[in-house]
């Protein structure tokens, strides 16, 4: 149908909804979700004032700042470990980036499924599936990282610590990226929020904590 009628409570015609009206709503919602995923909390346009753009962007930038402070504090707690094994410091950006990327990938798939009403089965089944997928991806990437680190530094224990940490970080990031949008959706909050800085920052912090914790256990510090 190109248009549908709108009637009042006694059936009188009071207007119509055209396909153009529906497309406008779809476009508006898509733009809103895109901005949420980019860390913009309000509906803004490129020609809005600097103050309006700042109000829309600053809250999530502040969240990122807090996340960075938290990550720095975590690393400070492993100062002795980093001092004795400087190679761990070199791979910190990689661990944080992989955690953020995996989390965004997982949450993006879930958000898309929620939007299209394609998600089937329970939350637990979805979490198990994502955990298995993350395990497979993590194992493949960890093997590559293990070989590279071993040949580069010739330090097998450190290479094992970094590689095992990568697998654990990817698994946790996949679970978080799956759970958070499902949780937000059940709470009536737009799950597109989970694909932005929120999921990236949380996974960065958890990733760094898991990374140094596992490295400390393996390297015996």
């Amino acid at each position: 149908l190109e248009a549908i009628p709108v009637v009042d409570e006694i059936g009188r015609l009071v207007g119509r909804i055209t396909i153009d009206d529906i497309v406008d709503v779809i476009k508006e919602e898509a733009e809103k979700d895109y901005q949420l995923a980019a860390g913009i909390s309000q509906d803004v346009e490129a020609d809005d004032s600097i103050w309006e753009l700042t109000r829309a962007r600053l809250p999530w930038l502040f969240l990122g700042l807090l996340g960075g402070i938290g990550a720095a504090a975590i690393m400070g707690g492993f100062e002795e470990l980093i001092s004795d094994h400087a190679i761990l410091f070199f791979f910190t950006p990689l661990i944080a980036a992989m955690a953020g990327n995996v989390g965004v990938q997982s949450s993006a798939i879930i958000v898309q499924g929620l939007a299209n009403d394609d998600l089937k089965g329970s939350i637990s089944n979805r979490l198990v599936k994502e955990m298995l997928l993350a395990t497979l991806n993590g194992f493949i990437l960890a093997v590559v990282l293990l070989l590279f680190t071993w040949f580069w530094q010739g330090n097998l224990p450190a290479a094992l610590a970094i590689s095992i940490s990568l697998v654990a970080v990817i698994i946790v990031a996949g679970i978080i990226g799956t759970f958070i949008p499902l949780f937000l959706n059940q709470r009536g909050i737009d799950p597109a929020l989970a694909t932005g800085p929120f999921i990236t920052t949380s996974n960065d912090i958890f990733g760094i904590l898991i990374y140094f914790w596992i490295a400390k256990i393996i390297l015996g510090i």
Side-chain angles (χ1 to χ4, degrees):
L1 298 177
E2 294 183 359
I4 56 176
V6 179
V7 298
D8 61 14
E9 62 276 4
I10 61 174
R12 291 180 301 186
L13 181 67
V14 295
R16 66 174 183 169
I17 299 176
T18 67
I19 185 63
D20 292 338
D21 297 327
I22 297 176
V23 170
D24 288 341
V25 173
I26 294 173
K27 181 180 178 181
E28 181 179 341
E29 287 297 315
E31 289 176 349
K32 178 182 176 182
D33 288 346
Y34 183 79
Q35 289 183 351
L36 282 175
I40 300 176
S41 57
Q42 300 178 20
D43 187 14
V44 294
E45 301 291 342
D47 57 353
D48 287 343
S49 69
I50 293 178
W51 172 243
E52 290 174 326
L53 293 173
T54 299
R55 287 173 53 193
R57 300 182 187 185
L58 189 59
W60 290 112
L61 293 177
F62 185 72
L63 174 64
L65 176 64
L66 294 180
I69 293 174
I74 291 173
M75 293 179 64
F78 294 93
E79 184 176 354
E80 182 181 353
L81 178 66
I82 297 174
S83 177
D84 293 339
H85 301 276
I87 186 177
L88 298 177
F89 179 77
F90 300 150
F91 286 93
T92 302
L94 183 148
I95 296 295
M98 292 302 297
N101 291 338
V102 171
V104 169
Q105 285 182 345
S106 299
S107 60
I109 293 298
I110 297 300
V111 170
Q112 183 182 24
L114 290 171
N116 297 333
D117 197 24
D118 290 336
L119 292 183
K120 308 297 180 183
S122 64
I123 294 179
S124 60
N125 291 336
R126 176 61 59 175
L127 289 174
V128 170
K129 180 178 180 180
E130 191 61 36
M131 185 177 65
L132 294 175
L133 175 61
T135 302
L136 177 59
N137 289 335
F139 178 78
I140 295 173
L141 295 172
V143 170
V144 176
L145 182 60
L146 172 64
L147 295 176
F148 170 78
T149 308
W150 189 11
F151 286 127
W152 178 37
Q153 293 289 327
N155 188 340
L156 183 58
L160 284 172
I162 296 170
S163 301
I164 293 174
S165 299
L166 179 64
V167 176
V169 165
I170 288 178
I171 293 174
V172 172
I175 293 174
I176 293 176
T178 302
F179 175 76
I180 288 181
L182 291 174
F183 175 78
L184 293 178
N185 184 66
Q186 287 188 341
R187 296 292 179 177
I189 303 173
D190 192 339
L193 185 66
T195 60
F198 179 78
I199 195 74
T200 303
T201 302
S202 60
N203 274 329
D204 284 351
I205 294 176
F206 280 112
I208 291 176
L209 177 61
I210 293 170
Y211 172 49
F212 284 107
W213 181 67
I214 292 178
K216 184 174 182 178
I217 293 176
I218 294 177
L219 297 177
I221 302 299

